[in-house]
Amino acid sequence: MILFNNQFTERDKVNIDMEDRGYQFGDGVYEVVRVYNGVCFRMESHMARLKRSAAEIGMTLPYSLENIEQLLLKLVEKNAIHTGNVYIQISRGVAPRDHQIPANITPILLANTKEVERPIYKIKEGISCILTEDVRWLRCDIKSLNLLGSVMATQKANQLGYGEAILHRRNMVTEASSKNVFMIKDGTIKTHPANHLILDGITRVEVLDIAKEKNLPVVEEAFSTDELLQADEVFVTSTTAEITPVTKIDETIINKGQSGPITQMLQQAFEQRIPKHGDGSSVSLFFSIGQK
Ligand code: PSZ
């Protein structure tokens, strides 16, 4: 079952107009929310960011934020999602193709869900990343449907046999193509400040909160690609990747190709914040039995 505006329906019953501005211009915004044990994780933060993204592109949400949240919760329930993702996008709406936005346009909301396990293997063993130039626009703080810059960087990484692309502007690291980037040097955690050059990830905020709770030194400052390559530990974060170690960047092996101690400390604290079953059980990174 999917959500089309405020109706629950089947995917094959939905017709998207070719003049939907989401399709024509990438004119719209989206969110991905993680579901753990049937519970939406940090739903309020995702809803707040959705509202902000819409406001930044001058789009009024079709329903109240509370209404949208209720619809998404109902969708998760109807589809009996245990561990998975909720994808929601709101496009500007349908209008004859013209850059100018007509006054009376109504946004179109679409949401679906998917059962997806936690990427336990990558979270444990880490991933490899290429470094590539950040060619995206200057409003990366908006979670917009325009993802071409990110898609092209990911494509380049994949073609070279790497898992992700870490982006830089004139050798200053911004973020990864679909993740935030953190580095650790001499016990200090560094990440790019939340400005127009990055998406302020919900997972990024969670990591900063954990670091604060644990009195770990953090600086929200841009760092260079050279600094990154000399880091003791590197990790990337996102709603689905959680805290994933980066063990190789281009030809450079990070921390002997392993997840580092501070990364693991953060992962463990993150895992403790994940909604559990009523009985406290869940698939765990630290307490699992032969998960791959
Ligand atoms: O399933 C996936 O592949 C997902 S779910 C969320 C993302 C990818 N990426 C979000 C994202 C992003 O696109 C960029 C450019 N920077 C940072 C992030 C991380 O944001 P959060 O932590 O909110 O998911």
Side-chain angles (χ1 to χ4, degrees):
M1 196 146 256
I2 71 156
L3 179 64
F4 181 50
N5 293 323
N6 57 1
Q7 303 294 316
F8 296 98
T9 180
E10 295 303 327
R11 185 178 165 175
D12 58 12
K13 298 252 169 19
V14 171
N15 288 307
I16 301 299
D17 198 300
M18 75 163 277
E19 289 195 309
D20 188 303
R21 291 180 62 95
Y23 183 66
Q24 299 272 1
F25 299 111
D27 186 356
V29 295
Y30 77 106
E31 276 298 325
V32 181
V33 185
R34 195 78 172 119
V35 183
Y36 293 107
N37 297 301
V39 180
C40 288
F41 187 52
R42 300 293 178 252
M43 184 58 130
E44 323 75 57
S45 307
H46 286 282
M47 289 298 101
R49 190 170 65 185
L50 182 67
K51 187 180 170 186
R52 180 187 180 275
S53 292
E56 290 297 318
I57 68 163
M59 190 172 87
T60 312
L61 295 175
Y63 317 107
S64 75
L65 211 57
E66 294 71 32
N67 239 314
I68 293 173
E69 178 175 336
Q70 286 310 311
L71 288 165
L72 295 178
L73 294 179
K74 212 179 241 180
L75 185 69
V76 168
E77 194 183 314
K78 279 181 185 288
N79 290 340
I81 298 300
H82 177 268
T83 298
N85 303 333
V86 185
Y87 175 83
I88 173 175
Q89 74 163 54
I90 304 178
S91 87
R92 182 86 59 180
V94 176
R97 192 184 183 285
D98 189 335
H99 284 245
Q100 190 175 322
I101 303 166
N104 57 351
I105 195 162
T106 311
I108 290 183
L109 185 155
L110 275 163
N112 67 352
T113 60
K114 194 174 161 191
E115 188 77 23
V116 186
E117 280 306 312
R118 293 178 63 204
I120 296 282
Y121 183 78
K122 287 181 183 176
I123 291 174
K124 261 188 184 160
E125 303 296 327
I127 60 165
S128 61
C129 295
I130 59 160
L131 269 169
T132 190
E133 205 186 329
D134 191 343
V135 298
R136 302 172 306 163
W137 69 334
L138 296 174
R139 289 305 308 275
C140 295
D141 56 310
I142 301 170
K143 204 160 168 62
S144 125
L145 295 179
N146 277 279
L147 292 173
L148 202 45
S150 153
V151 166
M152 286 168 69
T154 307
Q155 183 185 39
K156 184 178 173 190
N158 295 162
Q159 279 169 350
L160 293 166
Y162 287 70
E164 244 290 10
I166 294 177
L167 311 175
H168 64 87
R169 292 190 194 260
R170 297 176 171 222
N171 291 318
M172 296 307 283
V173 174
T174 50
E175 60 181 337
S177 65
S178 65
K179 296 167 183 72
N180 292 112
V181 178
F182 290 75
M183 62 158 274
I184 301 161
K185 186 72 181 177
D186 300 328
T188 296
I189 303 168
K190 261 194 189 184
T191 196
H192 196 285
N195 61 18
H196 63 291
L197 297 180
I198 69 159
L199 184 76
D200 188 6
I202 308 298
T203 323
R204 174 187 183 276
V205 171
E206 202 69 36
V207 166
L208 294 176
D209 189 62
I210 292 168
K212 195 172 159 194
E213 185 187 87
K214 296 200 169 296
N215 289 314
L216 299 171
V218 179
V219 280
E220 292 181 66
E221 264 174 34
F223 48 85
S224 69
T225 51
D226 283 345
E227 257 187 280
L228 179 73
L229 295 174
Q230 283 160 28
D232 298 327
E233 299 177 42
V234 176
F235 63 86
V236 286
T237 64
S238 85
T239 292
T240 47
E242 300 180 3
I243 299 170
T244 296
V246 175
T247 50
K248 187 182 171 193
I249 302 171
D250 288 336
E251 297 307 314
T252 306
I253 303 293
I254 307 293
N255 190 48
K256 301 193 178 94
Q258 293 177 342
S259 169
I262 296 176
T263 304
Q264 286 178 36
M265 189 200 296
L266 295 167
Q267 287 177 325
Q268 194 153 5
F270 181 87
E271 194 167 81
Q272 279 164 4
R273 294 181 176 206
I274 288 176
K276 303 286 188 294
H277 269 317
D279 63 3
S281 69
S282 71
V283 176
S284 162
L285 173 58
F286 291 95
F287 312 104
S288 64
I289 15 153
Q291 268 282 334
K292 207 185 166 180

